[in-house]
Amino acid sequence: MRWSLKELYESFEDDAFVSDMKLLDEKIEQFGEWVNHSVKEGNDPAETILTFIRYSEEITATLSKLSQFASLTSATDARNESALDYLNKLNVKSTALTQPSVVFQTYLKGLDSLEQIIESSLQLKEYAFYLEQIKLRSKYMLTEKEEVAISKLTTTGSTAWSNLQNKLSSTLMVDVLLDGEKKSLPLPAVRNLAYSEDKSKRLAGYQAEMDAYKKIEESSAAALNGIKGEVVTLCELRGFESPLEETLIKSRLDKETLDAMLSAMREYLPAFQKYLRRKAELLGHRNGLPFYDMFAPMGEVNITYTYPEAMDFIIAQFRTFSDRLADFTQHAYDNAWLDVEPREGKRGGAFCSNLHGIKESRILSNFSGSFSNMTTLAHELGHAYHGANLVDESILNSRYPMPIAETASIFCETIVVNAALNNASKEEQLAILESSISDSTQVIVDIYSRFLFESALFEERKNSVVSVAKLKELMLKAQKEAYGDGLDPDFLHPYMWINKPHYYSAGLNFYNFPYAFGLLFSKGLYAQYLKDGEAFVAKYDTLLNATGKELIADVAMRMNVDVHDPDFFRSSLALIEKDIEKFIELSK
Ligand SMILES: [Zn+2]
């Protein structure tokens, strides 16, 4: 099953695509002229800001639509030259926005009564949060010349490195020995062997993956050093205390919240390690769980799905939450919003892209029928539903920060898992519960190891280029600290830094703790849903709708949640601990 992109454009030769490319050029030029000639002291500030907003809306809408078409095309066809070519072109075009944006930000910074100006205009009030965020970020802005130079240089720096890494990993063919026969498979297919029922296949997949990474370890390390080096340099220049501080500001999350969450997570690591040791025992290991058995399916019933079965199941479970969510999902299914199975040249993993301009979404997955593949679909559909709650907002108020980005997705995953659990036999319960705990272990324990790794990587990168050997060492150290005696120290995964694409995006540093926040925030909300039922459902959509225009602590407060209090996170973690106890009980 492949997705349909013609709702965006028919092709790169489509008249609509060509004319939008032209329109974008014109708009960018007009915007530049307007800013450089008309934005100055003495103007009517409300009118000036409003004109800026209109330009921003038009340019953002056109640029997003064009880039989304190119990046979605590239996601299923890494060798598509036109897609890469247009992505580069669009990237270059968007750098032309830097100079006028800096001029405008400087103007905004100089207004001492921004709040009053916003208050005075009904139209501006709608954009209050957006404008305040621009003013906040202007604190870290450099001079106009520097900003322009930086934005041009990043296209040949971090962006180029990131494209290289993407191409290397998505076209990597892996030699793997299966049933005595040597096969050459794409990396995502080999990684999917980790979910195989057959232990020898899981081990063969792991060994093949480790060997394959050797082919791209030096080039990946060069890309990673290039990207992280650029981030370190820019953070220093801009006056951020650290890349983490920059991420927190962008995330609209304060340090107090992050610390509250991390301390609760550390307290609960032993519970997860207990689960991993139990799983190891059940699989016949004595020294903790080897990495290659981390995703081994457990329980006598091995639940698998065809794609239509998975979608029918998801839609039925979503209906227990609300008709709106179920109907929305049915619509996505009927209208080819999903690109489902793995194939060569298609990127690994799964993601959802919300296409605000056409009020739709597209979902990419590498579905091969496992329970976890099914819950991933539910997860991505949650992202799409989040997008659907924002389509009537201005595009400028529709963008939400990373930590809240995983709320709706994990919430939808929880609906599916819990509903499945209720309908299941005892054997199935064990399998489902285990799969859910396994996913949570990724989001809490593995994410914690990634947070440790990335923190250490930034520290090292400040002083020098980090070698392949050092990267592997940092990764192993982080895994040992997070997993403790839960994993077999002789079978860890020293190459996770090649495997996770987030490390290779200069704009997505620390794309790890947001997952943990998303899970724990969602679990907390889900508990509230079970308590409040119907009343919760309407409030939930309002919460999603506010995510583009409020700080996270304020969004949480809409549900009376205080994210500065570790107890909130502890109560969500306690729910997972309860599942772990139940799993251990069932497995006896
Ligand atoms: Zn997600």
Side-chain angles (χ1 to χ4, degrees):
M1 184 71 198
R2 299 188 183 205
W3 59 27
S4 162
L5 298 183
K6 67 176 194 306
E7 291 73 12
L8 287 167
Y9 301 104
E10 294 280 353
S11 70
F12 292 111
E13 290 77 39
D14 184 353
D15 287 346
F17 183 87
V18 176
S19 79
D20 274 357
M21 285 293 283
K22 220 174 114 216
L23 179 73
L24 180 65
D25 281 337
E26 285 164 13
K27 283 289 160 200
I28 292 176
E29 202 186 315
Q30 283 170 18
F31 175 56
E33 260 170 46
W34 172 74
V35 166
N36 288 306
H37 292 105
S38 312
V39 175
K40 47 188 143 208
E41 267 179 69
N43 278 2
D44 175 356
E47 206 185 291
T48 306
I49 297 172
L50 210 56
T51 308
F52 166 77
I53 283 175
R54 295 296 167 240
Y55 270 118
S56 301
E57 278 176 334
E58 284 178 282
I59 293 171
T60 309
T62 314
L63 186 60
S64 312
K65 196 175 167 197
L66 291 163
S67 317
Q68 282 167 335
F69 181 68
S71 73
L72 291 176
T73 303
S74 174
T76 55
D77 182 10
R79 290 194 182 85
N80 190 311
E81 296 295 336
S82 305
L84 291 178
D85 188 37
Y86 278 111
L87 279 174
N88 288 331
K89 279 187 184 145
L90 289 164
N91 214 321
V92 172
K93 283 187 204 300
S94 67
T95 61
L97 291 167
T98 307
Q99 187 271 344
S101 303
V102 174
V103 174
F104 182 79
Q105 269 179 277
T106 314
Y107 168 80
L108 207 67
K109 205 173 164 182
L111 295 173
D112 23 64
S113 52
L114 181 62
E115 244 171 84
Q116 270 174 315
I117 296 165
I118 294 172
E119 272 303 305
S120 74
S121 155
L122 211 61
Q123 281 167 297
L124 281 185
K125 267 191 207 164
E126 184 61 27
Y127 301 93
F129 183 76
Y130 176 72
L131 292 166
E132 279 153 17
Q133 288 284 304
I134 294 183
K135 192 163 178 172
L136 170 72
R137 282 198 304 268
S138 68
K139 216 177 109 189
Y140 303 96
M141 206 174 61
L142 301 170
T143 66
E144 192 183 318
K145 257 191 173 163
E146 287 168 327
E147 289 295 346
V148 172
I150 288 169
S151 92
K152 289 193 172 166
L153 287 172
T154 50
T155 62
T156 49
S158 55
T159 308
W161 284 120
S162 161
N163 289 342
L164 172 72
Q165 168 64 16
N166 184 28
K167 198 158 190 170
L168 285 173
S169 55
S170 64
T171 55
L172 181 67
M173 294 301 285
V174 181
D175 293 330
V176 59
L177 199 63
L178 292 174
D179 303 322
E181 206 185 319
K182 200 171 146 185
K183 284 188 178 149
S184 185
L185 297 175
L187 183 61
V190 172
R191 285 190 52 79
N192 257 332
L193 292 173
Y195 297 92
S196 167
E197 252 180 285
D198 181 343
K199 186 174 185 171
S200 69
K201 284 193 178 137
R202 298 195 298 266
L203 180 58
Y206 169 82
Q207 284 165 339
E209 193 192 341
M210 292 300 137
D211 286 342
Y213 285 140
K214 287 186 188 122
K215 289 192 258 181
I216 59 168
E217 62 178 6
E218 285 296 345
S219 38
S220 297
L224 191 59
N225 273 286
I227 291 162
K228 294 306 190 199
E230 184 184 287
V231 171
V232 168
T233 306
L234 291 181
C235 278
E236 262 173 34
L237 281 173
R238 294 183 186 287
F240 289 108
E241 211 175 90
S242 64
L244 181 61
E245 190 195 30
E246 186 194 20
T247 302
L248 286 168
I249 290 174
K250 268 204 223 165
S251 305
R252 305 176 198 162
L253 193 88
D254 45 51
K255 186 82 172 23
E256 203 185 336
T257 303
L258 178 68
D259 289 343
M261 181 179 80
L262 289 175
S263 74
M265 279 164 68
R266 274 189 292 268
E267 285 169 31
Y268 276 82
L269 289 177
F272 290 93
Q273 291 157 3
K274 194 170 158 191
Y275 148 72
L276 290 164
R277 283 197 308 275
R278 178 67 185 146
K279 180 164 181 174
E281 264 171 43
L282 293 169
L283 291 168
H285 302 290
R286 284 155 172 242
N287 202 23
L289 194 64
F291 208 100
Y292 62 83
D293 268 351
M294 193 121 83
F295 305 102
M298 304 292 287
E300 285 187 28
V301 183
N302 187 27
I303 305 165
T304 58
Y305 302 84
T306 62
Y307 171 56
E309 282 167 0
M311 288 302 283
D312 287 347
F313 183 75
I314 289 168
I315 292 165
Q317 309 310 342
F318 280 1
R319 201 165 292 286
T320 65
F321 179 75
S322 78
D323 282 336
R324 188 167 176 253
L325 176 60
D327 293 343
F328 167 80
T329 306
Q330 184 71 50
H331 181 79
Y333 182 34
D334 293 343
N335 289 277
W337 289 16
L338 295 96
D339 198 290
V340 184
E341 296 89 4
R343 57 182 181 273
E344 200 189 325
K346 176 173 165 177
R347 57 170 276 191
F351 71 81
C352 170
S353 180
N354 290 334
L355 314 173
H356 190 271
I358 58 166
K359 303 191 177 202
E360 295 186 6
S361 298
R362 290 296 177 272
I363 288 167
L364 177 139
S365 70
N366 279 276
F367 183 87
S368 62
S370 70
F371 185 78
S372 161
N373 286 161
M374 186 279 289
T375 58
T376 298
L377 284 181
H379 175 106
E380 300 306 334
L381 287 159
H383 281 303
Y385 185 70
H386 192 170
N389 277 290
L390 290 161
V391 289
D392 294 327
E393 290 289 325
S394 157
I395 195 164
L396 304 179
N397 286 335
S398 75
R399 288 185 283 191
Y400 43 82
M402 301 193 304
I404 216 93
E406 296 301 333
T407 306
S409 53
I410 298 173
F411 193 91
C412 276
E413 230 183 296
T414 312
I415 292 176
V416 169
V417 171
N418 282 22
L421 217 44
N422 288 337
N423 301 330
S425 68
K426 208 176 158 189
E427 287 85 358
E428 282 173 336
Q429 270 187 23
L430 181 86
I432 295 166
L433 203 56
E434 198 282 324
S435 166
S436 161
I437 298 167
S438 173
D439 287 349
S440 298
T441 305
Q442 286 301 298
V443 177
I444 303 299
V445 189
D446 200 71
I447 285 293
Y448 185 60
S449 80
R450 293 185 222 173
F451 179 79
L452 293 174
F453 170 77
E454 197 160 353
S455 304
L457 172 57
F458 274 124
E459 274 310 305
E460 292 286 331
R461 188 64 190 89
K462 268 197 232 164
N463 309 317
S464 68
V465 170
V466 190
S467 67
V468 169
K470 187 74 189 174
L471 286 166
K472 288 163 76 176
E473 182 194 318
L474 293 177
M475 185 53 83
L476 290 177
K477 188 166 175 260
Q479 285 173 356
K480 279 177 189 157
E481 194 172 332
Y483 285 99
D485 59 3
L487 287 190
D488 183 340
D490 295 331
F491 289 94
L492 296 171
H493 196 311
Y495 284 117
M496 281 303 271
W497 52 274
I498 298 186
N499 179 258
K500 292 290 164 196
H502 297 145
Y503 293 127
Y504 296 85
S505 169
L508 290 180
N509 300 303
F510 290 101
Y511 204 105
N512 33 59
F513 69 79
Y515 280 98
F517 183 91
L519 176 74
L520 298 176
F521 188 56
S522 271
K523 287 256 173 207
L525 290 183
Y526 192 81
Q528 216 167 317
Y529 158 59
L530 293 181
K531 222 171 58 195
D532 300 349
E534 286 285 307
F536 177 93
V537 177
K539 246 165 73 183
Y540 177 68
D541 287 352
T542 327
L543 173 138
L544 292 181
N545 179 263
T547 49
K549 48 185 183 187
E550 284 179 14
L551 294 174
I552 289 186
D554 296 333
V555 174
M557 263 307 161
R558 282 177 174 264
M559 297 301 214
N560 296 321
V561 166
D562 178 10
V563 288
H564 294 149
D565 186 352
D567 274 346
F568 169 69
F569 299 103
R570 284 187 192 114
S571 63
S572 298
L573 284 157
L575 292 175
I576 306 174
E577 189 182 34
K578 225 170 96 187
D579 283 349
I580 292 173
E581 294 303 335
K582 193 172 170 195
F583 163 73
I584 290 173
E585 196 49 46
L586 282 171
S587 71
K588 272 179 188 161

